[in-house]
Amino acid sequence: MTSVKGRPVMGTGSSILSALQDLFSVTWLNRSKVEKQLQVISVLQWVLSFLVLGVACSAILMYTFCTDCWLIAVLYFTWLVFDWNTPKKGGRRSQWVRNWAVWRYFRDYFPIQLVKTHNLLTSRNYIFGYHPHGIMGLGAFCNFSTEATEVSKKFPGIRPYLATLAGNFRMPVLREYLMSGGICPVNRDTIDYLLSKNGSGNAIIIVVGGAAESLSSMPGKNAVTLRNRKGFVKLALRHGADLVPIYSFGENEVYKQVIFEEGSWGRWVQKKFQKYIGFAPCIFHGRGLFSSDTWGLVPYSKPITTVVGEPITIPKLEHPTQQDIDLYHAMYMEALVKLFDQHKTKFGLPETEVLEVN
């Protein structure tokens, strides 16, 4: 500190410190706001990967064939031929990818929580039925394809495999990304392999309602497509894999969707896509990248709580009858409704709320 005509004047060091304090007090460097933007970006990267990564990488690879870098494309396609059946055998999960910090930001954005109600024996195999589908099954992905909610610590010795459309594994690069998280094709060959040739402690997560259920996804609605979905029960009986009902509270709250009425042209188009391609295109929106007051692809920040229910012991029947399938399917539906009723008031639903089973 120096003085000019008897008045103290702050020195250069103090002036710099004061300027730095002013700089770090500005809004755009506020820690909580930076955290929130990182959360938004982490969610958006997954949404864009889900929607366009496969198509974009396919287009880039085809373009590469027409450039001086054509050898790279040839080498990748050659390797792809030899590696084609890897997804059917559980893929190549990477604990490094599953533990990326980006998934913790993804989790905290909503936030997403995994609730364990019962222990699972590592000597058994399991089929988890995940409900509801929502638009993208964000809770299923975060809880079972990453370690953000510590699924491996909550269920030690259990290897989760989230099953999704087989067509995703025909897309270059996207298939590698999915397999690294422990995601596999939802087809009979894959499920048969994991439940019979991969030892014990496997848990295959099937979003039972599929594309049909996603068409009715909307905030405030708790409905599942299950009454005529019995294939997963037959697979469980053939392999003696225990069934575990899961309900994800809040899954339907994160996107708003245009619902087409039965008989409308829009619903007709959706059903044709569902029948011939395996998925149903939805017209939906969330919030914008920079503001929750605008529309965009970023889901709304609503809590998602995934509750894993009590396992239903399933006997191994090589040739289950329709009566066997109907019996255990009815037991599963009853267990799912019971799980919903036991936990609904804990997560903001009224006691009078009823789970609609279609």
Side-chain angles (χ1 to χ4, degrees):
M1 180 180 295
T2 59
S3 64
V4 178
K5 296 183 179 180
R7 291 176 298 179
V9 178
M10 298 297 293
T12 303
S14 298
S15 299
I16 294 174
L17 179 61
S18 178
L20 287 173
Q21 289 174 337
D22 291 340
L23 176 64
F24 284 102
S25 68
V26 299
T27 304
W28 63 273
L29 279 179
N30 182 277
R31 181 180 176 84
S32 63
K33 289 186 178 295
V34 171
E35 287 275 331
K36 191 62 179 179
Q37 286 304 314
L38 288 173
Q39 291 169 12
V40 170
I41 292 169
S42 70
V43 174
L44 182 61
Q45 69 82 24
W46 168 248
V47 170
L48 293 177
S49 298
F50 180 85
L51 294 175
V52 302
L53 180 62
V55 174
C57 289
S58 297
I60 292 172
L61 203 60
M62 295 303 295
Y63 172 74
T64 306
F65 269 116
C66 304
T67 68
D68 293 338
C69 298
W70 60 270
L71 184 59
I72 295 175
V74 170
L75 290 173
Y76 181 83
F77 269 107
T78 302
W79 177 80
L80 193 61
V81 170
F82 286 101
D83 193 59
W84 191 252
N85 290 323
T86 298
K88 296 179 182 179
K89 298 180 180 180
R92 284 183 298 272
R93 75 173 56 220
S94 165
Q95 288 301 115
W96 176 65
V97 173
R98 287 174 61 90
N99 282 283
W100 277 353
V102 68
W103 307 131
R104 294 191 289 276
Y105 286 111
F106 184 104
R107 172 200 65 198
D108 293 340
Y109 171 78
F110 295 94
I112 295 174
Q113 181 184 5
L114 180 66
V115 177
K116 171 185 175 181
T117 62
H118 292 79
N119 292 323
L120 298 179
L121 299 175
T122 57
S123 59
R124 300 285 293 174
N125 283 324
Y126 300 90
I127 292 180
F128 288 6
Y130 185 92
H131 313 268
H133 184 288
I135 296 295
M136 292 187 186
L138 296 170
F141 169 75
C142 183
N143 285 309
F144 301 111
S145 295
T146 80
E147 292 297 329
T149 56
E150 300 185 329
V151 61
S152 295
K153 291 182 180 179
K154 291 178 179 177
F155 298 102
I158 302 297
R159 293 181 299 277
Y161 293 89
L162 177 60
T164 187
L165 291 176
N168 289 324
F169 296 90
R170 301 186 186 102
M171 301 284 191
V173 181
L174 176 63
R175 69 191 295 273
E176 292 18 278
Y177 194 21
L178 296 179
M179 285 194 291
S180 68
I183 301 177
C184 66
V186 60
N187 56 35
R188 180 172 171 173
D189 289 344
T190 304
I191 295 173
D192 283 345
Y193 180 88
L194 292 174
L195 295 181
S196 63
K197 299 179 181 179
N198 200 46
S200 60
N202 301 291
I204 302 174
I205 300 91
I206 299 177
V207 186
V208 179
E213 192 172 85
S214 69
L215 296 180
S216 61
S217 173
M218 60 185 297
K221 185 172 183 178
N222 288 285
V224 297
T225 301
L226 176 60
R227 201 169 296 279
N228 296 315
R229 299 291 175 106
K230 301 181 181 181
F232 73 105
V233 178
K234 184 177 181 179
L235 284 169
L237 284 165
R238 289 181 62 246
H239 294 284
D242 294 347
L243 290 171
V244 181
I246 297 176
Y247 196 84
S248 203
F249 294 90
E251 185 71 62
N252 284 343
E253 306 298 318
V254 297
Y255 279 113
K256 296 178 181 178
Q257 179 184 187
V258 176
I259 303 294
F260 293 102
E261 297 295 331
E262 288 293 338
S264 66
W265 68 270
R267 182 54 63 97
W268 180 84
V269 170
Q270 289 176 325
K271 286 187 173 181
K272 289 299 181 183
F273 266 83
Q274 179 187 336
K275 180 178 180 179
Y276 294 109
I277 301 180
F279 77 96
C282 302
I283 300 177
F284 65 92
H285 73 85
R287 52 156 287 180
L289 178 59
F290 300 106
S291 172
S292 59
D293 297 325
T294 59
W295 287 9
L297 291 175
V298 180
Y300 292 106
S301 179
K302 302 289 184 179
I304 298 175
T305 306
T306 303
V307 184
V308 181
E310 181 179 4
I312 303 168
T313 303
I314 303 294
K316 186 174 182 178
L317 304 174
E318 188 172 347
H319 301 289
T321 65
Q322 190 60 49
Q323 185 177 1
D324 295 326
I325 296 169
D326 290 343
L327 171 63
Y328 286 98
H329 182 262
M331 291 173 61
Y332 179 87
M333 286 199 300
E334 181 181 352
L336 179 63
V337 172
K338 181 181 178 182
L339 180 70
F340 178 85
D341 289 339
Q342 286 178 336
H343 295 274
K344 60 186 177 184
T345 56
K346 299 176 186 177
F347 307 115
L349 297 178
E351 185 65 43
T352 55
E353 184 74 17
V354 175
L355 177 62
E356 180 184 332
V357 181
N358 300 312

